Amino acid sequence: MDDPMNFLTMFDASSVVLVVVILFFAVTLILGVRIVPQSEQYVVTRLGKYHRTLSAGVNLVVPYLDQVHSRISIADQVITDVRLDVVSRDNVVFSIELLCVYRIVKSEYAVFRVSNVNELVIGLIKSLVRAEIGKVELDAVQQERESLNVEIRQALEAAADDYGINISRAEITDVELKPETQRAMAEVLEAERMRRAAILRAEGEKRAVELAADAALYKQQKEAEALMVTANATAESNRLIRDGMAEGGEAAARFQIAERQIEAFQRLAASSNSKIIVLPGDATDGFTRAATILAKD
């Protein structure tokens, strides 16, 4: 029978080996599984060379060969209070403050192409914003800020794309002018307001003249139309009288004339201011004609 001590030694050695093997496989399994949190990505290298990028969730890698080189946040990053001095196209020097929101969309580019993403973005902002501001005048910076923000963001997107960065927002949040520039702008604005006021007054006077001319023309047109109506009525009346006299109505016409003369004398006699009435020599002919015409009827 073998020595019990040798058996125990062999048992202990095999147990140690088994434990070591189990531990090795456990460590290997642990090293082969990578759990990536949400809003993060892991950049993995194999033997020092970029291999792949792990997305959120459970991922398997080759233990001992694959290493997690960098843990990259893909959430939006905000850069605020970026202040710089710029010169506009009309040679006005002023300060602006910007806000930028970016997100890493290609983690391997952000890791291996640039050492510090924040410094890169700030450098791009300063360089491209100075270039864009130099294309416009100060008034455009104040009045067309929205379109200028779009142009700045597009320029930043094109430049940052090579580094796996997406610029989702870039805005000018503040414009600070020097005191002398503010005074000059105030004078310009005052002059502009006076110019507009003068133009409005001139346009008002012009409109008043146009309306007066239109009113005078309208009055003349209506007066001419009234004269035309009166003339047409008189002509029609004369035509009717002429036609009536041609058909034997001369006696009726004389009777109407005599009747109107009598009515006129009656109104004259009834007037309170009438004291002495002087009749023309043929005034009594109206009475005679009226009586004669009635007698004939």
Side-chain angles (χ1 to χ4, degrees):
M1 185 175 181
D2 295 336
D3 188 357
M5 294 299 296
N6 291 335
F7 177 77
L8 292 174
T9 302
M10 291 177 60
F11 178 77
D12 291 341
S14 61
S15 298
V16 170
V17 171
L18 180 61
V19 170
V20 170
V21 171
I22 292 174
L23 289 175
F24 175 77
F25 278 107
V27 171
T28 301
L29 181 62
I30 293 172
L31 294 178
V33 177
R34 288 289 183 268
I35 299 176
V36 181
Q38 187 66 36
S39 75
E40 285 190 5
Q41 287 183 345
Y42 287 1
V43 177
V44 176
T45 58
R46 176 172 290 178
L47 299 178
K49 183 180 178 181
Y50 169 72
H51 177 56
R52 66 192 180 105
T53 300
L54 305 181
S55 301
V58 178
N59 297 269
L60 299 178
V61 297
V62 178
Y64 311 113
L65 296 180
D66 295 343
Q67 299 292 329
V68 176
H69 182 276
S70 301
R71 293 173 170 83
I72 303 299
S73 173
I74 58 174
D76 286 345
Q77 306 294 320
V78 181
I79 299 178
T80 59
D81 300 333
V82 180
R83 181 171 289 274
L84 67 155
D85 295 332
V86 293
V87 182
S88 62
R89 191 173 66 179
D90 50 350
N91 295 323
V92 178
V93 180
F94 56 97
S95 298
I96 62 173
E97 188 174 305
L98 299 106
L99 176 143
C100 180
V101 180
Y102 72 90
R103 179 166 53 90
I104 296 176
V105 293
K106 294 181 180 179
S107 300
E108 62 274 18
Y109 287 7
V111 170
F112 297 111
R113 290 189 178 184
V114 60
S115 60
N116 191 302
V117 175
N118 269 5
E119 292 182 358
L120 170 69
V121 174
I122 292 174
L124 289 175
I125 289 173
K126 290 182 177 181
S127 174
L128 294 175
V129 167
R130 284 194 176 100
E132 293 297 327
I133 295 295
K135 298 177 183 178
V136 298
E137 296 182 355
L138 177 60
D139 291 342
V141 177
Q142 298 280 30
Q143 300 172 4
E144 303 174 6
R145 187 176 297 184
E146 184 63 30
S147 60
L148 185 60
N149 287 336
V150 173
E151 293 176 1
I152 291 174
R153 181 175 58 81
Q154 291 175 349
L156 287 172
E157 283 181 349
D161 186 62
D162 292 337
Y163 302 97
I165 301 170
N166 175 258
I167 307 292
S168 60
R169 200 172 188 87
E171 292 184 357
I172 299 174
T173 57
D174 188 27
V175 177
E176 184 178 344
L177 303 177
K178 295 182 178 181
E180 54 270 22
T181 304
Q182 292 180 348
R183 288 193 297 270
M185 288 188 64
E187 293 176 357
V188 171
L189 291 175
E190 182 63 24
E192 179 65 16
R193 283 194 291 268
M194 294 178 63
R195 184 184 69 84
R196 290 180 180 178
I199 292 175
L200 289 176
R201 284 195 298 270
E203 289 180 349
E205 293 174 357
K206 176 184 176 183
R207 184 57 180 165
V209 171
E210 291 176 350
L211 291 175
D214 291 342
L217 178 60
Y218 180 79
K219 180 181 178 181
Q220 293 177 359
Q221 290 176 345
K222 291 303 178 181
E223 290 177 351
E225 291 176 0
L227 292 175
M228 182 64 68
V229 171
T230 303
N232 291 336
T234 303
E236 181 66 17
S237 176
N238 293 336
R239 185 186 65 79
L240 293 175
I241 293 172
R242 184 180 66 253
D243 293 343
M245 293 178 68
E247 295 175 358
E250 183 178 357
R254 286 199 303 270
F255 176 78
Q256 289 181 359
I257 294 172
E259 186 178 17
R260 290 184 182 180
Q261 287 179 345
I262 295 170
E263 291 176 356
F265 290 144
Q266 288 176 347
R267 288 195 300 270
L268 184 60
S271 175
S272 60
N273 296 326
S274 302
K275 301 301 180 182
I276 298 175
I277 300 176
V278 180
L279 299 178
D282 58 349
T284 56
D285 292 343
F287 299 101
T288 305
R289 292 172 187 154
T292 304
I293 293 171
L294 290 175
K296 290 180 180 181
D297 292 338

